[in-house]
Amino acid sequence: MKTTTRAVVIGGGIAGCSTLYHLTQEGWSDVVLVERDELTSGTTWHSAAQVTNFGMNQTMVGLKSHSIALYKELRDDPDYPVGYNHGDGGIRLANDERTMDGYRHFASVARGMGVEYEVLDAAECARRHPLISTENLLGGLWDGEDGHIDPAQLCQALARRARNAGAEVYRHTAVTGLTQHADHSWTVHSEKGDIDCEVVINAGGYRCNEVAAMMGVQHPVASMEHQYFLTEDIPAIAEAGHRMPLLRCPISDYYCRQEKNGLLVGFYEQDCRTWGLDGIDAKFTNALCPDDIDRVTDVLEGAIARMPALAETGIRSIVNGPITYTIDGAPLVGPVPGKRNAYCIVGLRAGLGEGGGHGWLLAQIIAHGEACYDTWMLDPRRFTGHGNVELTALKAIEDYQNEFRFHFPHEHRPAGRPVKTTPLTPVLAAEGAEFGVVNGWERAAYFKPAPEFSETHSFRFNEVFDVVAAEVKAVQNGVGLAEVNGFNRIEISGAGAHDFLDRMICGRVGRRPGRVGLGYLLNAQGCLKAEATLANLPDGRIWYGSAAAAEWHDMDWLAQHLPDDGSVALRSLTNDFTILVVAGPRARQVMQAVSRADWSARAFPWLSVRECFVGIAPAVVMSVSFSGELAYEIHVPNSQLHAAYLALRAAGEAQGLTLFGSHAVESMRLEKGYLHWKSDILTEFDPYETGLGRFVDLKKEFIGKSALMKRHANGPVKRLVTLALDSTTAPAHPGASVMLGERVVGTVTSGGWGHRTGLNLAYAFVDAALAEDSTSLTVDVIGMGIPVRAIPLCPYDPDTRLPRA
Ligand SMILES: Cc1cc2nc3c(=O)[nH]c(=O)nc-3n(C[C@H](O)[C@H](O)[C@H](O)COP(=O)(O)OP(=O)(O)OC[C@H]3O[C@@H](n4cnc5c(N)ncnc54)[C@H](O)[C@@H]3O)c2cc1C
């Protein structure tokens, strides 16, 4: 066994084998994989191993396409052909129009990644799958690439290829400990000796938290027991003359594929069970949980109703095994939060289908710091400490129970809520707030017009449209108050603070005390890593502010680049303060009534920051505006948030102050051309492509400059444009394809109704050549080809007069 190597992958399931292979493809050949038992002895060996190309966003579709292309290559390798039934096709069923709308949207998303799904009616579903009844069926979504693979052969083939490229695989070698050294390198302790390495990768499957504990962290990953059975032969299958397509059913929570001349049917029962929360027997390897088919009776009945042949068929065998879930259903693939040179690829619940792609993206992240797609939705840093074992278990159960029921736009499911609250959460709830969840925080989305008001989540405009319209109107014509909790806030101090920021930010960094600016941080590829509001407090401290979700991501990036001389210190204030936003033409009167400071435009102009009192609450106030109206962001310590709120409500009474939520903010920011991190600001595009060229200063040095200059010299590939859609039916949803005739020429990043302009707005990255001439473009919105026109980035108050007034 080697005693030094570049990277050690811990775990020999699909996640570990794929990562090992892809590392060698990235040129990292001095790498090893250690497995406590045999390869695939965790979950992988007993997987149903279905491989779909279905994904709900472009990153997922793209990584699954990679899996499929790789698996086909392995199938066709004459030296070690892998058993892979590719192209049986698969149908996701639906019995309501809302779900069909979702399928139409996902078809639009996939098209942008070169993948074609078909939306079928019920009769066509039955024609393609002769065993199913059309009772209570509206239609389905067809993925022609669907199939299944032999999981053991797949892993052996990947390990074999990795070995051929220089990697080594040590079986029966349990990792027992991990030690990190001052230079961030690691020693991996195993039953068979130590291995020193640069990088460790946790691919420990349902034991991932045993490995995580060895590095002092915990991942929000919980296991559920999951069962399928295999049936005896079904004559109709043998007689069909073609293989049965796969089925996935959100109506009754089962999946089904052909296995020999019978079926494999898997279940997501409501009466489901977590597994291994309090520890896993060390001897549980190549093992199964006791089967318990009685537990799945509820969903089995639905499966029999859909496939009556099941009622006459015997069960050959039952498999019940642990399957991992995270808080939001997506795996954790990327850097381990709070650690250097440590990565994970864990929480895979569809690891056979996705594993090829996840290993591919992770290897790129390890080798280059970034993957070809923006991988934020997989990034382990998206949960910021609230993902403890209890919350993870509740979310895992909820997700399991809803396996095939995707989230609708703005849908936030109830399990484990509330997670993060402020003193105002119950106060706003009493005011009728309907909450959404941002990085665990309960944030008011809108205020219900009546207690009995309830929303039907949909891909179309729904009953919330008028509620948001009223909130926007109140802000535009008077004054509104909103709470923005969880906003990421890092205090940067020390003699070297401004020089440090100068290197991190690609544009000019203002140094004048009392002023606020916007800056962008690039990665080594010259693309957009982060966006920050930089406030120079009058006493010399700098507040770095960014999206709530960016809390750990941005801290990580800044901390990695701190100078060694101790001249800069970082301190997170994210969980100590909350923002109250006062916005609208009468905002100044409210501030004047609540605070003794001079709030005139002359004394406190746009883009200023000051410390003052709001009522009795100490506050840092910035005159910045995401709504485009005259606005003040009031940062208040959480202990005095309620006091500040009461003072503002009292002062606002004379001005008709009303509450507004994040949906209204979303509508208004779209009219202003303001961008959202990880919706519109992505690691796939540089600032020029994103319309942020004015924030770049090529005369100074900054991270990513040389790569950016190269990209810039070649000219933009894509450009972010604002589109106005000719439709009042539905907004354009993120991921929807922008079309020129039958050709995909772009992708929507954000969309929604602009209530002040009366426009159905969307941002989209389109082929650069089309950015100026968009006359013939359409957007595929839930299957409708909606004509669009490109409009100026900022259709509301383009000269930004209102916040300056
Ligand atoms: C019943 C069932 C059906 C499924 N059906 C499908 C399906 O149809 N399609 C699909 O895509 N997915 C399916 N899945 C999910 C899929 O099988 C998993 O997502 C996938 O196998 C997980 O792979 P992994 O490599 O992450 O974990 P594992 O396969 O569990 O591998 C982890 C490995 O790490 C090793 N390890 C752990 N700790 C240590 C240590 N300390 N030292 C060294 N090695 C260690 C373990 O021994 C193990 O081999 C199914 C799962 C179940 C349970």
Side-chain angles (χ1 to χ4, degrees):
M1 197 166 91
K2 281 186 177 183
T3 52
T4 56
T5 188
R6 200 157 180 205
V8 175
V9 180
I10 304 167
I14 177 60
C17 292
S18 172
T19 305
L20 187 77
Y21 164 70
H22 284 101
L23 279 172
T24 65
Q25 296 302 293
E26 294 297 335
W28 284 41
S29 50
D30 179 12
V31 289
V32 307
L33 183 150
V34 280
E35 162 56 49
R36 72 198 290 277
D37 203 300
E38 288 291 349
L39 293 185
T40 75
S41 58
T43 290
T44 298
W45 70 275
H46 59 71
S47 178
Q50 298 156 118
V51 179
T52 166
N53 211 165
F54 176 80
M56 286 177 281
N57 56 59
Q58 290 200 330
T59 296
M60 286 307 268
V61 175
L63 72 88
K64 290 182 186 196
S65 293
H66 177 82
S67 288
I68 290 170
L70 173 65
Y71 299 172
K72 285 200 306 201
E73 195 188 311
L74 296 174
R75 177 197 62 190
D76 298 338
D77 184 343
D79 290 340
Y80 189 88
V82 170
Y84 178 27
N85 274 303
H86 167 258
D88 287 354
I91 312 173
R92 269 158 215 273
L93 303 173
N95 68 346
D96 64 75
E97 267 305 339
R98 290 191 318 137
T99 304
M100 292 298 286
D101 273 351
Y103 290 164
R104 292 180 189 107
H105 169 62
F106 300 133
S108 174
V109 171
R111 190 161 302 134
M113 299 304 283
V115 174
E116 289 294 332
Y117 307 147
E118 282 175 72
V119 177
L120 312 178
D121 62 20
E124 185 58 21
C125 291
R127 200 186 65 73
R128 295 189 192 194
H129 198 307
L131 293 186
I132 67 169
S133 113
T134 55
E135 186 85 12
N136 185 31
L137 185 68
L138 202 54
L141 185 72
W142 174 262
D143 164 19
E145 303 282 335
D146 224 327
H148 75 274
I149 195 160
D150 183 313
Q153 286 180 8
L154 169 62
C155 290
Q156 294 294 350
L158 290 169
R160 183 175 169 275
R161 283 194 170 201
R163 279 196 204 96
N164 290 343
E168 297 192 2
V169 175
Y170 306 131
R171 294 172 299 128
H172 302 286
T173 308
V175 171
T176 52
L178 295 166
T179 304
Q180 186 155 36
H181 306 289
D183 65 355
H184 307 300
S185 68
W186 292 88
T187 298
V188 177
H189 310 286
S190 84
E191 283 172 336
K192 297 199 177 152
D194 290 353
I195 311 174
D196 294 326
C197 60
E198 229 175 273
V199 164
V200 290
I201 298 123
N202 181 353
Y206 52 73
R207 292 188 189 276
C208 68
N209 273 319
E210 293 178 7
V211 178
M214 296 177 201
M215 55 175 95
V217 299
Q218 180 258 329
H219 293 304
V221 173
S223 298
M224 302 293 298
E225 285 188 23
H226 173 47
Q227 301 186 78
Y228 64 74
F229 63 56
L230 296 156
T231 71
E232 306 285 1
D233 287 358
I234 295 174
I237 294 181
E239 288 154 16
H242 63 83
R243 287 184 55 81
M244 289 298 117
L246 291 81
L247 286 183
R248 294 180 185 81
C249 180
I251 309 162
S252 220
D253 307 303
Y254 61 87
Y255 57 80
C256 173
R257 70 163 170 83
Q258 182 171 340
E259 175 69 22
K260 300 202 171 73
N261 278 332
L263 292 175
L264 178 158
V265 192
F267 302 97
Y268 294 98
E269 68 282 8
Q270 292 300 301
D271 181 20
C272 54
R273 227 174 253 170
T274 55
W275 181 85
L277 284 187
D278 297 315
I280 301 165
D281 186 340
K283 293 198 210 67
F284 190 91
T285 180
N286 254 313
L288 292 173
C289 312
D291 56 50
D292 178 7
I293 214 68
D294 289 347
R295 215 165 67 218
V296 305
T297 321
D298 56 341
V299 280
L300 176 58
E301 278 170 9
I304 291 172
R306 181 66 60 216
M307 287 174 290
L310 276 180
E312 279 119 49
T313 310
I315 294 175
R316 205 151 39 86
S317 58
I318 301 170
V319 166
N320 184 14
I323 185 166
T324 53
Y325 280 76
T326 64
I327 288 183
D328 62 2
L332 306 172
V333 180
V336 172
K339 294 284 159 191
R340 294 277 280 276
N341 292 357
Y343 298 86
C344 61
I345 174 165
V346 298
L348 278 67
R349 79 185 209 219
L352 268 298
E354 298 172 4
H358 288 310
W360 174 57
L361 296 178
L362 182 60
Q364 293 174 45
I365 293 169
I366 294 169
H368 312 294
E370 213 75 77
C372 56
Y373 307 136
D374 192 299
T375 54
W376 178 243
M377 45 87 53
L378 305 171
D379 196 306
R381 294 166 298 186
R382 69 190 188 275
F383 305 111
T384 54
H386 55 287
N388 63 36
V389 63
E390 300 302 329
L391 176 66
T392 308
L394 288 177
K395 284 308 211 188
I397 292 168
E398 182 182 61
D399 225 27
Y400 185 95
Q401 290 170 330
N402 289 283
E403 178 71 27
F404 297 126
R405 280 185 286 277
F406 51 80
H407 283 81
F408 284 90
H410 305 303
E411 183 185 3
H412 298 274
R413 291 186 177 150
R417 290 175 63 190
V419 179
K420 296 186 195 171
T421 57
T422 73
L424 280 193
T425 309
V427 177
L428 297 180
E431 295 278 5
E434 179 67 33
F435 293 96
V437 182
V438 183
N439 188 24
W441 292 95
E442 295 287 330
R443 191 177 285 176
Y446 59 87
F447 290 82
K448 290 183 273 191
E452 63 280 5
F453 180 89
S454 84
E455 177 177 2
T456 319
H457 291 289
S458 166
F459 281 82
R460 298 171 187 244
F461 291 122
N462 63 8
E463 39 303 68
V464 172
F465 186 93
D466 290 339
V467 178
V468 175
E471 288 181 12
V472 170
K473 197 168 168 200
V475 172
Q476 183 186 15
N477 298 323
V479 60
L481 175 65
E483 181 195 52
V484 182
N485 47 16
F487 185 72
N488 181 38
R489 195 179 293 95
I490 301 169
E491 191 171 278
I492 306 179
S493 55
H498 274 115
D499 291 343
F500 166 64
L501 278 175
D502 222 33
R503 201 164 58 84
M504 300 301 297
I505 304 264
C506 67
R508 210 181 62 78
V509 177
R511 297 186 178 219
R512 242 173 75 202
R515 298 296 291 161
V516 183
L518 195 59
Y520 292 88
L521 295 82
L522 308 188
N523 57 22
Q525 289 75 18
C527 290
L528 286 160
K529 187 91 182 161
E531 177 193 54
T533 304
L534 296 166
N536 289 308
L537 270 60
D539 63 5
R541 287 174 299 152
I542 304 166
W543 273 17
Y544 171 112
S546 59
E551 184 184 348
W552 280 10
H553 172 277
D554 285 13
M555 181 59 105
D556 205 18
W557 187 245
L558 293 174
Q560 275 177 39
H561 294 91
L562 277 180
D564 296 332
D565 59 8
S567 62
V568 183
L570 305 175
R571 183 162 73 111
S572 174
L573 299 176
T574 300
N575 296 299
D576 304 331
F577 285 78
T578 293
I579 299 176
L580 294 172
V581 173
V582 178
R586 280 187 242 147
R588 184 168 287 126
Q589 285 90 320
V590 174
M591 294 306 289
Q592 204 61 71
V594 82
S595 162
R596 282 186 293 109
D598 179 354
W599 294 96
S600 68
R602 191 189 40 77
F604 194 65
W606 190 47
L607 300 181
S608 298
V609 56
R610 66 162 42 138
E611 288 184 87
C612 62
F613 287 91
V614 167
I616 56 153
V620 170
V621 181
M622 300 179 200
S623 51
V624 294
S625 174
F626 205 44
S627 61
E629 304 295 337
L630 174 70
Y632 301 95
E633 267 188 10
I634 307 165
H635 300 241
V636 191
N638 285 338
S639 58
Q640 276 162 292
L641 183 65
H642 195 193
Y645 170 82
L646 290 175
L648 286 163
R649 291 298 307 247
E653 211 162 302
Q655 307 301 331
L657 179 138
T658 58
L659 297 170
F660 66 104
S662 60
H663 284 11
V665 175
E666 177 67 7
S667 165
M668 292 188 278
R669 72 105 188 168
L670 283 170
E671 294 175 310
K672 285 301 299 173
Y674 295 149
L675 308 182
H676 249 177
W677 185 69
K678 294 305 175 193
S679 299
D680 322 302
I681 297 171
L682 300 166
T683 55
E684 292 169 39
F685 303 103
D686 66 42
Y688 296 109
E689 291 174 303
T690 313
L692 299 169
R694 65 191 183 284
F695 292 97
V696 179
D697 180 1
L698 289 176
K699 290 193 216 75
K700 54 168 262 194
E701 292 308 314
F702 55 86
I703 292 169
K705 179 178 168 182
S706 56
L708 177 64
M709 285 173 72
K710 246 183 240 153
R711 288 179 70 99
H712 196 37
N714 294 336
V717 178
K718 296 275 182 187
R719 289 258 309 274
L720 188 81
V721 293
T722 305
L723 303 173
L725 281 71
D726 187 10
S727 169
T728 53
T729 307
H733 298 281
S737 285
V738 182
M739 310 292 296
L740 179 65
E742 289 301 301
R743 188 158 66 88
V744 179
V745 294
T747 302
V748 168
T749 57
S750 292
W753 192 264
H755 287 280
R756 294 173 299 191
T757 54
L759 293 172
N760 190 354
L761 294 166
Y763 297 152
F765 280 101
V766 299
D767 291 353
L770 291 164
E772 305 300 336
D773 176 17
S774 59
T775 40
S776 313
L777 299 185
T778 57
V779 176
D780 178 349
V781 179
I782 50 172
M784 303 178 286
I786 305 289
V788 297
R789 64 194 162 88
I791 60 169
L793 185 65
C794 172
Y796 182 72
D797 186 27
D799 302 324
T800 317
R801 288 176 202 272
L802 295 172
R804 290 193 173 98

